[in-house]
Amino acid sequence: MRKGLLSVVTGNTPEVRGTLVDSLLRASPGAAVLSVSVHATATGHPVVQRCPSGVVPRLRDIAAQGTTGDPVVILRQDLHALWRAADRPHVILVLPENLDLLPLLAELWRRRVGSGSMGDYYDPAPVVVGVDPASFTYDIACVHRAVRLWGDWDDGERVTRAEAAARQVEAADVLFVPAARDADGQVTGAAGLARHLNPRASLLTPADGDGLPPALVRVAPPGLWEERQAWLEPVTMPCLAHGPDGRVESVLWRARRPLHPERLSAALAEVARGVVRSRGHLWLPGRPDSIVTWRTAGAHLELREAGSWLGADSPDAWASVSPRRRTLASWFWHDYYGERRDEIVFTGVDIDGLRIRAALDEALLSDAELSLGRDGWRSLADPLIPGGGNP
């Protein structure tokens, strides 16, 4: 079967998305562009508007269509139609900033029973995310306004603007941070922060007028879908940028015993000082079998139960997770604790790694508290997550 090439482009402003599309079209003049916008409805699925260009006339009719439904289902149908209408098409899919990019892409490429996979029709090109420095600097600190992200939820997920900005950057294979007109170090700061939020991605910081290198119009490395799927799991391998970027730095904290919920709550102000973004998972004594994910963007902390730790006697659970998760569990396996551990990466400006680690180490259960076991841990109050512990 002859395959096309699918490039996915997004960014935090219409201008930076337009710059990316223009650059890709210069590298691939015959590409078709499918621009997407997503609008909320009173209830249920959103309205998905698509505007194609550079395609055969009979497919341009969808430009006026706004279809209510699951964005992934609608996009799969459009991409299949484009593939059937052209010989090995190169499609540039332009997505808006109100899509939760990582789960949407994982679902788009997932193989479905009875309908195959998008990989049967297209090879994936690198996902390119544009970061306008001025908008990003404002959004990554904004926790007083909520936005709705559409991804794997019927009615979307309400998150802070800071959380939405961080997720968009973290989903990229390539980060494009154009030069700011007023300079003043704005590009340097935004580019450095973006690199630390997503060290896996290639970082491009071109001067005004420079575009993307033609090499981006190529097939992405194999295993891309599996990597995105693994990144969505509650336990992942921390990914840190090497060295600071000016005043931006990342710090890893890891421990092998539960955190005392009340002491952790008291330490939050000290831990959060200067932190722009943090992600990881915790082991809390009041819920010893549950993975608790930790995520901050700006001054907003989200703790959420997200599945169970793998056990030695749970083969079905091992089979249901990604090979990467199974490998991590084997690396960190403890005969008594299993894969349980605390792991958080903090990224911020002028942060003190020693101070963060010391504050969290002080919040760990002491030897005496640890020896109480599960029955004793039930008496520990948990002010962090409703329903945890017994005050």
Side-chain angles (χ1 to χ4, degrees):
M1 181 181 293
R2 297 169 67 85
K3 291 186 181 183
L5 181 67
L6 180 60
S7 296
V8 176
V9 168
T10 189
N12 60 343
T13 65
E15 291 77 14
V16 77
R17 292 195 294 271
T19 298
L20 292 175
V21 171
D22 290 343
S23 296
L24 285 173
L25 286 175
R26 284 195 292 271
S28 180
V33 178
L34 183 62
S35 299
V36 180
S37 60
V38 180
H39 310 279
T41 57
T43 58
H45 286 302
V47 174
V48 182
Q49 185 82 39
R50 295 96 70 213
C51 290
S53 61
V55 298
V56 294
R58 66 184 180 86
L59 289 177
R60 292 176 187 160
D61 293 340
I62 68 173
Q65 292 182 2
T67 305
T68 300
D70 185 337
V72 172
V73 174
I74 294 168
L75 292 178
R76 284 172 63 93
Q77 293 172 344
D78 289 346
L79 291 169
H80 285 164
L82 288 171
W83 177 82
R84 288 192 299 267
D87 180 35
R88 301 185 66 187
H90 177 200
V91 178
I92 302 172
L93 179 61
V94 188
L95 299 177
E97 68 272 21
N98 62 340
L99 288 177
D100 198 356
L101 193 57
L102 196 58
L104 182 136
L105 291 176
E107 185 65 17
L108 183 67
W109 289 96
R110 180 173 67 86
R111 179 169 292 278
R112 297 173 179 232
V113 176
S115 61
S117 166
M118 187 61 61
D120 295 334
Y121 306 95
Y122 290 94
D123 287 317
V127 175
V128 187
V129 174
V131 180
D132 177 85
S135 180
F136 181 66
T137 302
Y138 169 78
D139 288 342
I140 200 65
C142 181
V143 296
H144 61 278
R145 292 178 57 193
V147 296
R148 181 180 290 182
L149 288 185
W150 300 96
D152 199 19
W153 304 271
D154 287 352
D155 58 351
E157 181 187 16
R158 293 191 179 277
V159 301
T160 64
R161 291 185 69 90
E163 178 68 28
R167 289 191 195 183
Q168 188 179 63
V169 167
E170 289 164 351
D173 299 318
V174 176
L175 289 165
F176 177 84
V177 186
R181 294 182 180 180
D182 57 358
D184 296 333
Q186 196 172 59
V187 172
T188 303
L193 182 54
R195 188 179 80 88
H196 277 261
L197 292 180
N198 187 354
R200 303 174 296 109
S202 302
L203 177 65
L204 300 177
T205 55
D208 287 333
D210 291 345
L212 296 173
L216 287 183
V217 185
R218 58 174 173 78
V219 178
L224 188 63
W225 182 87
E226 290 82 0
E227 180 178 346
R228 291 187 181 126
Q229 195 69 24
W231 187 243
L232 290 170
E233 291 187 315
V235 178
T236 62
M237 172 62 78
C239 191
L240 274 74
H242 296 293
D245 282 272
R247 298 167 60 194
V248 179
E249 189 171 359
S250 293
V251 172
L252 169 65
W253 174 75
R254 179 183 287 150
R256 197 75 206 229
R257 61 175 64 194
L259 281 152
H260 192 292
E262 288 188 315
R263 290 202 293 272
L264 175 59
S265 180
L268 289 179
E270 185 71 14
V271 169
R273 193 190 313 166
V275 173
V276 175
R277 175 66 159 168
S278 61
R279 286 190 59 168
H281 55 268
L282 304 178
W283 174 16
L284 295 180
R287 47 196 87 232
D289 294 322
S290 297
I291 303 165
V292 176
T293 57
W294 165 295
R295 187 155 54 189
T296 70
H300 179 77
L301 169 64
E302 176 192 276
L303 295 176
R304 180 181 297 181
E305 286 188 272
S308 301
W309 300 105
L310 297 175
D313 56 351
S314 53
D316 291 343
W318 283 77
S320 67
V321 301
S322 70
R324 181 173 297 191
R325 168 83 180 275
R326 295 196 293 269
T327 300
L328 286 176
S330 300
W331 282 351
F332 293 100
W333 192 258
H334 187 282
D335 288 341
Y336 187 75
Y337 299 135
E339 68 164 342
R340 292 174 179 82
R341 64 190 185 280
D342 309 294
E343 214 164 45
I344 309 174
V345 174
F346 298 88
T347 296
V349 178
D350 295 334
I351 60 175
D352 185 339
L354 293 176
R355 174 179 52 78
I356 291 173
R357 294 189 184 101
L360 290 171
D361 288 344
E362 287 293 322
L364 294 170
L365 295 190
S366 66
D367 290 343
E369 292 166 335
L370 191 64
S371 67
L372 296 176
R374 293 188 179 216
D375 292 339
W377 295 345
R378 292 194 183 98
S379 65
L380 300 177
D382 186 349
L384 297 170
I385 303 178
N390 297 308

